Amino acid sequence: MDIEKLLKEIESQVLGLLKNQVALFPKFKNDISVFIKNSQDKIKKWQGLYIEGHIDEEELEWLLNSQKNLLVLESLKNIGLSQIKANRLKNDIIKIVFQVILNSILK
């Protein structure tokens, strides 16, 4: 899967998660777009490293988890979502990115 399709799939699945969990969904589209844009080069690089066998699943997951700090969900703060719930949501988003990358390779 080329990087553009991969990023669109990640965005689609993450927005699907948010649509199901958060009432103020439209405000999150921008946050997710910014995160994907800021992470796109790293995702592409890490996907390539994984495909070439230079890193394994565990290392890929660790690298993706390092992106959590880039995942600033300003909209969550503005609606008063607790830090615990925000962190849980960030973890779910990183899991989606991880699964989409793995699924793109297995196709």
Side-chain angles (χ1 to χ4, degrees), residues 63-80:
L63 289 168
L64 289 169
N65 278 315
S66 74
Q67 293 298 100
K68 275 190 224 177
N69 290 336
L70 289 179
L71 187 51
V72 179
L73 298 174
E74 291 298 325
S75 303
L76 293 178
K77 293 177 188 174
N78 292 339
I79 64 167

Side-chain angles (χ1 to χ4, degrees), residues 18-31:
L18 293 172
K19 189 180 282 187
N20 292 330
Q21 291 192 9
V22 182
L24 299 173
F25 165 75
K27 295 184 179 203
F28 293 98
K29 285 183 122 177
N30 186 53
D31 290 343

Side-chain angles (χ1 to χ4, degrees), residues 46 55-64 98 101-102:
W46 297 338
I55 61 173
D56 61 20
E57 275 187 39
E58 188 175 309
E59 292 166 315
L60 176 62
E61 187 171 20
W62 184 86
L63 289 168
L64 289 169
F98 178 68
I101 290 172
L102 289 182

Side-chain angles (χ1 to χ4, degrees), residues 28-44:
F28 293 98
K29 285 183 122 177
N30 186 53
D31 290 343
I32 297 307
S33 295
V34 168
F35 169 70
I36 290 173
K37 182 180 178 196
N38 291 340
S39 302
Q40 133 180 351
D41 291 338
K42 290 179 181 177
I43 290 172
K44 182 178 179 179

